[in-house]
Amino acid sequence: MADRLEELYTELHGPIYRFLAALTGDPDLAEELTQETFLQAILSLPRFRRESSLTTWLYAIARNQYRKHLARKARKPPAAAPSLPCAPPDQAVEAREERLRLARALATLPGAYREALILREYEGLHYAEVGQVLGGSETWARVTCFRARRMLKEAYLRLEGG
C-alpha cells in the first residue's frame, strides 16, 4: 500500500500542483495545499469508496483544501505563467502581457466556472471527471465549461480594451 501511495504521489503531484497554482496564483501556497491534499488523501484512504478514480478523488480533495484556504484568507489572482524562453524581447513582453491579461480574466470568473475551466482546459480532465470533482453531472460540466469560456472571452476582451 505504501508503494502505491508513493507511486500515486509521483504520478499526480504535478497535475494537482498545477491545478492549485492556477486557482491560487501563488506557487508557494499551491505547493503547501498540494502537500495538504496528499496528507488528507493518506488519512482518508480507508474511507475511499471507489465511486470515482483516485485521480478524480484527489482533485476533489485539492479543491476542498483550496476552499478551506479561502475560508481563512482572501483570494489572490492567479500568477502569470513564465515568459517564453529564447523569445525576442518584444515578443516575450507581449506574450507575458497576454498571459497576465488571461490570468486576470480567469480570476474574474466565479469559482465553479473557473475551477471547471482549469480542470478541463489546463488539466485535461474529461467532462465526466470535471463533474465528479465539482459535484455535478457530465452535462453540468459541459454547460459550465461552455459558459466559462464565454465569460472568459468577455472578461479578456474587457481587459484588452476591446
Short mmCIF file of all heavy atoms in Angstrom, two decimals, residues 1 4-5 8 44-57 132:
data_model
loop_
_atom_site.label_atom_id
_atom_site.label_comp_id
_atom_site.label_asym_id
_atom_site.label_seq_id
_atom_site.Cartn_x
_atom_site.Cartn_y
_atom_site.Cartn_z
N MET A 1 0.83 -1.19 0.00
CA MET A 1 0.00 0.00 0.00
C MET A 1 0.87 1.26 0.00
O MET A 1 0.58 2.21 -0.70
CB MET A 1 -0.94 -0.02 1.21
CG MET A 1 -1.84 1.20 1.27
SD MET A 1 -2.91 1.39 -0.14
CE MET A 1 -4.43 0.85 0.55
N ARG A 4 2.10 2.00 -3.43
CA ARG A 4 1.05 2.57 -4.28
C ARG A 4 0.88 4.06 -3.99
O ARG A 4 0.71 4.85 -4.90
CB ARG A 4 -0.27 1.82 -4.07
CG ARG A 4 -1.43 2.39 -4.85
CD ARG A 4 -1.22 2.27 -6.36
NE ARG A 4 -2.34 2.85 -7.05
CZ ARG A 4 -2.22 3.70 -8.07
NH1 ARG A 4 -1.06 4.03 -8.53
NH2 ARG A 4 -3.29 4.20 -8.63
N LEU A 5 0.94 4.45 -2.72
CA LEU A 5 0.81 5.87 -2.36
C LEU A 5 1.99 6.67 -2.92
O LEU A 5 1.80 7.77 -3.43
CB LEU A 5 0.71 6.03 -0.85
CG LEU A 5 -0.59 5.59 -0.22
CD1 LEU A 5 -0.50 5.67 1.31
CD2 LEU A 5 -1.74 6.43 -0.72
N LEU A 8 1.45 6.98 -6.61
CA LEU A 8 0.38 7.94 -6.85
C LEU A 8 0.89 9.37 -6.67
O LEU A 8 0.59 10.25 -7.48
CB LEU A 8 -0.78 7.66 -5.90
CG LEU A 8 -2.08 8.36 -6.16
CD1 LEU A 8 -2.66 7.94 -7.50
CD2 LEU A 8 -3.06 8.05 -5.05
N SER A 44 -7.47 9.81 4.56
CA SER A 44 -8.82 9.43 4.15
C SER A 44 -8.88 8.16 3.32
O SER A 44 -9.97 7.71 2.97
CB SER A 44 -9.44 10.58 3.33
OG SER A 44 -9.47 11.75 4.07
N LEU A 45 -7.74 7.62 2.95
CA LEU A 45 -7.71 6.46 2.07
C LEU A 45 -8.59 5.30 2.54
O LEU A 45 -9.29 4.70 1.72
CB LEU A 45 -6.27 5.99 1.86
CG LEU A 45 -6.04 5.04 0.70
CD1 LEU A 45 -6.52 5.65 -0.61
CD2 LEU A 45 -4.58 4.68 0.60
N PRO A 46 -8.64 5.01 3.84
CA PRO A 46 -9.52 3.91 4.26
C PRO A 46 -11.00 4.18 3.97
O PRO A 46 -11.79 3.25 3.84
CB PRO A 46 -9.29 3.81 5.77
CG PRO A 46 -7.95 4.43 6.00
CD PRO A 46 -7.82 5.49 4.95
N ARG A 47 -11.37 5.44 3.82
CA ARG A 47 -12.77 5.79 3.55
C ARG A 47 -13.05 5.98 2.06
O ARG A 47 -14.18 6.28 1.68
CB ARG A 47 -13.13 7.07 4.30
CG ARG A 47 -13.10 6.90 5.82
CD ARG A 47 -13.66 8.11 6.55
NE ARG A 47 -13.03 9.37 6.18
CZ ARG A 47 -11.93 9.88 6.75
NH1 ARG A 47 -11.34 9.23 7.72
NH2 ARG A 47 -11.45 11.05 6.37
N PHE A 48 -12.04 5.80 1.20
CA PHE A 48 -12.22 5.94 -0.24
C PHE A 48 -13.15 4.84 -0.72
O PHE A 48 -12.88 3.66 -0.54
CB PHE A 48 -10.87 5.88 -0.96
CG PHE A 48 -10.98 5.95 -2.46
CD1 PHE A 48 -11.58 7.03 -3.08
CD2 PHE A 48 -10.47 4.93 -3.24
CE1 PHE A 48 -11.67 7.10 -4.46
CE2 PHE A 48 -10.54 4.99 -4.62
CZ PHE A 48 -11.15 6.08 -5.23
N ARG A 49 -14.29 5.23 -1.34
CA ARG A 49 -15.34 4.27 -1.70
C ARG A 49 -15.23 3.76 -3.14
O ARG A 49 -16.07 3.02 -3.59
CB ARG A 49 -16.70 4.90 -1.48
CG ARG A 49 -16.96 5.23 -0.02
CD ARG A 49 -18.34 5.79 0.16
NE ARG A 49 -18.52 6.97 -0.68
CZ ARG A 49 -18.90 8.15 -0.26
NH1 ARG A 49 -19.19 8.33 1.01
NH2 ARG A 49 -19.04 9.17 -1.09
N ARG A 50 -14.24 4.21 -3.87
CA ARG A 50 -14.02 3.78 -5.25
C ARG A 50 -15.21 4.07 -6.16
O ARG A 50 -15.46 3.36 -7.11
CB ARG A 50 -13.65 2.30 -5.31
CG ARG A 50 -12.43 1.98 -4.49
CD ARG A 50 -11.87 0.62 -4.79
NE ARG A 50 -10.87 0.16 -3.85
CZ ARG A 50 -9.70 0.73 -3.60
NH1 ARG A 50 -9.37 1.82 -4.19
NH2 ARG A 50 -8.86 0.22 -2.73
N GLU A 51 -15.96 5.14 -5.84
CA GLU A 51 -17.06 5.58 -6.71
C GLU A 51 -16.52 6.42 -7.87
O GLU A 51 -17.25 6.72 -8.81
CB GLU A 51 -18.07 6.38 -5.90
CG GLU A 51 -18.80 5.54 -4.87
CD GLU A 51 -19.69 6.35 -3.95
OE1 GLU A 51 -19.74 7.58 -4.09
OE2 GLU A 51 -20.32 5.74 -3.09
N SER A 52 -15.27 6.82 -7.76
CA SER A 52 -14.60 7.57 -8.83
C SER A 52 -13.16 7.09 -8.87
O SER A 52 -12.72 6.30 -8.05
CB SER A 52 -14.66 9.08 -8.54
OG SER A 52 -13.93 9.37 -7.35
N SER A 53 -12.41 7.61 -9.84
CA SER A 53 -11.00 7.23 -9.91
C SER A 53 -10.22 7.94 -8.80
O SER A 53 -10.67 8.95 -8.26
CB SER A 53 -10.42 7.62 -11.28
OG SER A 53 -10.31 9.03 -11.38
N LEU A 54 -9.05 7.42 -8.49
CA LEU A 54 -8.20 8.07 -7.49
C LEU A 54 -7.82 9.48 -7.93
O LEU A 54 -7.75 10.39 -7.11
CB LEU A 54 -6.93 7.24 -7.25
CG LEU A 54 -7.08 6.07 -6.28
CD1 LEU A 54 -5.82 5.22 -6.30
CD2 LEU A 54 -7.35 6.55 -4.88
N THR A 55 -7.63 9.67 -9.22
CA THR A 55 -7.28 10.99 -9.74
C THR A 55 -8.40 11.99 -9.47
O THR A 55 -8.16 13.08 -8.96
CB THR A 55 -7.00 10.90 -11.26
OG1 THR A 55 -5.96 9.96 -11.48
CG2 THR A 55 -6.60 12.25 -11.82
N THR A 56 -9.61 11.61 -9.82
CA THR A 56 -10.76 12.48 -9.59
C THR A 56 -10.92 12.76 -8.10
O THR A 56 -11.19 13.90 -7.70
CB THR A 56 -12.03 11.81 -10.16
OG1 THR A 56 -11.82 11.55 -11.54
CG2 THR A 56 -13.24 12.70 -10.00
N TRP A 57 -10.74 11.74 -7.29
CA TRP A 57 -10.86 11.88 -5.83
C TRP A 57 -9.82 12.88 -5.32
O TRP A 57 -10.13 13.75 -4.49
CB TRP A 57 -10.69 10.50 -5.21
CG TRP A 57 -10.80 10.43 -3.73
CD1 TRP A 57 -11.88 10.70 -2.95
CD2 TRP A 57 -9.77 10.01 -2.82
NE1 TRP A 57 -11.60 10.49 -1.63
CE2 TRP A 57 -10.31 10.05 -1.52
CE3 TRP A 57 -8.46 9.58 -3.00
CZ2 TRP A 57 -9.57 9.70 -0.40
CZ3 TRP A 57 -7.73 9.22 -1.87
CH2 TRP A 57 -8.28 9.29 -0.60
N GLN A 132 -17.57 15.02 -11.65
CA GLN A 132 -17.35 14.29 -10.40
C GLN A 132 -16.60 15.14 -9.39
O GLN A 132 -16.96 15.18 -8.22
CB GLN A 132 -16.57 13.00 -10.65
CG GLN A 132 -17.37 11.90 -11.28
CD GLN A 132 -16.53 10.66 -11.53
OE1 GLN A 132 -15.31 10.73 -11.67
NE2 GLN A 132 -17.19 9.52 -11.59
#
